[in-house]
Amino acid sequence: MAFVSRLVCSTCGTEYDPSSNPLMCRRRDFGRLDIVYDYHRVRRFLSRKKLSGRENGIWRFAELLPAKKSFAVKLGEGGTRLLKAQRLAEKMKLTNLYLKDETRNPTGSFKDRAMAVGIAKAREIGVDTVVTASSGNAAASLAAYSAKAKLKCYAFVLASASAGKLAQLMLYGASVIKVRGVERGEDPTVKMMLKAVESEDWYPCPSFGPFNPYQVEGPKTISYEIAEQLEWKSPDWILVPTGSSCLLTGVWRGIKDLTELDWIQTSPRLVPVQPHGNSPLVKAIKSNLPFSMIKAEKHPKTIATGLSDPFPWDGDAGLEAVKQTRGTGVSVSDSEILAAVKDLAKNEGIFAEPSGAAALAGLKKLLDDGLIRKGESVVVLITGSGLKDAQTH
Ligand SMILES: *Cc1c(COP(=O)(O)O)cnc(C)c1O
Ligand SMILES: [Zn+2]
C-alpha cells in the first residue's frame, strides 16, 4: 500500500486516500478509481536489475500492485511464456511474431492476474464474501482464488456460459446464479451483482474497473513481462482481444508504468480486437466517438463469449490507450475467429477458446489492410484456453 499515493475517480475526479480502501466512487457515478503510484518510492525498491532474483509470476512486480504481497494467494498466475511463433509468422509473412500464452494461467485465462490481485485486496480489507458478474472466465478465476483464500464466492453468470467454465465454478465451490441473457443492452449479471453489494455489503470483484479498482491492476503485469521477455525493447504492436476493455486498460497502464520508470523507450501501438457481433469500442474508435457517446450493444452475438460484454466499462481508458499509443481498433467475424483458433492449434500447438484467439484474427486483417507491415514486431495476446469451450470448434 505504501506505494499508492491516491485513487482518483475517472468520472468526477474525487480523490480518495488509499488507506480507506475505497471500491467505488461514493457518488456511484460508475467512475473507476484510478490508482496513482508514488513512482519515486517505487524506484527506490524496484529496478530492472532487482527483478532478476525474484520469483516468477505477478508478485515479482509487487511494488506496482495495489495490494500487500503478504496477503497474496498464489496459484501460479502470470509468468507465462512469450513464444516466437515461427510457423504462423511464415504463413502470415511476418518476421517477428510473438504469442503471449495466457492459456497457461492456473484457471486457463489471463483473468487470474486480475483476480489474484482482487482477492489479495479482499484479504487485506478483511471481507468474508466476494461477488462477481461474468460471462465465465472471470468468475471461474475468482472462484478458484476464493477457494484457496477460504472466502465465500457468489457468481452471477450468463446462462449461456460454457459448460467448461460452469464446471470450474461449481468445483471451486462458488454459489452460481445463472441469469438470463443480455436484453436491450443491459447485462443482468452486473445489475444483480450491484444489488447484492448494496444489500449484503459483499466485496464486488468483477473484471472491470468501475466496481473494483484493484483487480484492474493485475493485467498490467502482462506488459511488464512482455517488456522483460523482449529484453526491454517494445514490440511495435500489441493486439488485445477486447470485451469490457479492462485488459486493454491494464496493458496500457503497464506500458505507462514502464515508461514512467524509464524501463522502455518507446510504446507499442495497442489494438483492441472485437467480434463483429459486439464491437461498441471498435465502432467508437472508427467513428471517433467519445466514451460518453458509446451505446451498449443491444444484442451481442458472437461465439467469443469472453468478448460479449454489451458495454465496455473501461472504454474511457481503452479509447485513451488507443489514442495515446497511435493504435487502432479492428473487428472480426466469428468465422475469422474460428479460423484463427485452427491456425493457432495447427501451427503453434496452442489450443485457445474463441475469445482467446480473436486477436490473431485481428492481426490477419490488419496485415491484409497493410496497416501492420511485415518487418514490424507484433505481440498477440492469447487469452484463454480452448479446454473451457471445447464444443465451439
Ligand atoms: C475477459 C476476456 C477477454 C476480454 O477482456 P476484457 O477485459 O473484458 O476486455 C479476452 N479473452 C478472454 C479469454 C477473456 O476471458
Ligand atoms: Zn466519481
Side-chain angles (χ1 to χ4, degrees):
M1 201 53 167
F3 297 94
V4 175
S5 53
R6 61 187 187 281
L7 296 92
V8 184
C9 175
S10 61
T11 300
C12 69
T14 302
E15 294 201 359
Y16 293 83
D17 186 323
S19 64
S20 65
N21 292 322
L23 287 161
M24 293 183 254
C25 181
R26 69 174 80 88
R27 297 192 185 181
R28 292 293 185 264
D29 54 13
F30 296 120
R32 186 185 46 256
L33 304 183
D34 288 326
I35 296 171
V36 182
Y37 289 82
D38 177 352
Y39 290 109
H40 188 71
R41 207 173 137 72
V42 170
R43 253 185 239 112
R44 279 179 33 214
F45 291 86
L46 186 62
S47 67
R48 287 183 291 187
K49 218 164 141 198
K50 276 192 191 130
L51 282 177
S52 59
R54 294 192 179 181
E55 63 175 332
N56 221 8
I58 69 168
W59 298 102
R60 180 179 179 78
F61 310 99
E63 290 87 349
L64 292 161
L65 293 175
K68 288 200 189 100
K69 189 177 159 192
S70 52
F71 290 99
V73 167
K74 296 179 190 169
L75 292 172
E77 56 290 333
T80 59
R81 309 175 301 167
L82 184 71
L83 297 163
K84 183 127 204 214
Q86 212 75 48
R87 290 194 59 200
L88 267 183
E90 269 165 37
K91 220 178 145 194
M92 298 176 117
K93 303 196 169 47
L94 263 172
T95 22
N96 284 305
L97 172 61
Y98 300 91
L99 306 172
K100 185 69 172 153
D101 184 7
E102 292 293 299
T103 69
R104 295 290 189 104
N105 278 296
T107 77
S109 85
F110 83 91
K111 296 285 197 314
D112 291 330
R113 295 182 190 261
M115 295 304 130
V117 174
I119 284 294
K121 195 68 194 181
R123 296 182 71 215
E124 188 182 321
I125 295 174
V127 305
D128 54 26
T129 306
V130 304
V131 59
T132 188
S134 164
S135 65
N137 280 340
S141 176
L142 185 68
Y145 285 90
S146 301
K148 178 112 174 159
K150 274 197 178 169
L151 296 173
K152 183 99 198 78
C153 175
Y154 286 88
F156 293 103
V157 297
L158 291 177
S160 56
S162 78
K165 295 174 190 177
L166 286 170
Q168 283 185 297
L169 271 169
M170 311 271 189
L171 282 166
Y172 291 137
S175 301
V176 182
I177 304 103
K178 281 201 236 173
V179 184
R180 66 176 202 290
V182 171
E183 274 169 24
R184 278 176 247 96
E186 232 178 43
D187 187 338
T189 62
V190 175
K191 237 171 127 173
M192 297 188 65
M193 174 192 72
L194 278 178
K195 271 201 183 137
V197 169
E198 300 295 344
S199 66
E200 309 298 322
D201 205 25
W202 292 342
Y203 173 88
C205 198
S207 66
F208 20 89
F211 312 105
N212 184 312
Y214 307 105
Q215 54 78 28
V216 192
E217 299 282 294
K220 291 199 305 193
T221 54
I222 293 178
S223 292
Y224 306 154
E225 288 176 16
I226 291 173
E228 193 178 12
Q229 285 163 322
L230 293 178
E231 287 163 358
W232 310 108
K233 269 187 70 185
S234 291
D236 294 306
W237 299 87
I238 301 181
L239 283 88
V240 185
T242 297
S244 72
S245 195
C246 183
L247 173 59
L248 175 65
T249 299
V251 168
W252 183 48
R253 281 199 185 161
I255 291 164
K256 285 204 294 184
D257 288 343
L258 292 165
T259 309
E260 195 70 45
L261 293 169
D262 222 11
W263 289 7
I264 57 169
Q265 303 312 317
T266 54
S267 168
R269 300 170 75 174
L270 298 182
V271 184
V273 180
Q274 295 200 293
H276 281 334
N278 186 47
S279 59
L281 189 79
V282 169
K283 280 185 196 149
I285 293 166
K286 298 277 185 204
S287 47
N288 229 336
L289 280 184
F291 180 63
S292 58
M293 299 284 284
I294 295 183
K295 289 205 180 71
E297 180 65 49
K298 285 213 169 66
H299 304 284
K301 204 174 171 315
T302 173
I303 50 161
T305 52
L307 312 180
S308 61
D309 312 70
F311 186 69
W313 289 105
D314 295 303
D316 55 336
L319 286 181
E320 201 57 27
V322 170
K323 200 166 136 198
Q324 299 280 338
T325 65
R326 297 182 306 117
T328 185
V330 61
S331 67
V332 291
S333 69
D334 278 1
S335 58
E336 288 166 328
I337 292 175
L338 284 179
V341 169
K342 286 193 183 122
D343 275 347
L344 199 55
K346 291 201 169 137
N347 293 286
E348 301 295 341
I350 299 177
F351 185 25
E353 67 174 299
S355 307
L360 183 64
L363 171 61
K364 188 159 185 309
K365 228 160 179 179
L366 293 183
L367 283 168
D368 291 346
D369 292 349
L371 213 87
I372 294 183
R373 282 167 296 134
K374 61 178 193 198
E376 294 183 304
S377 59
V378 180
V379 173
V380 176
L381 304 187
I382 306 300
T383 47
S385 164
L387 296 172
K388 286 167 169 281
D389 206 356
Q391 64 280 23
T392 321
H393 298 104

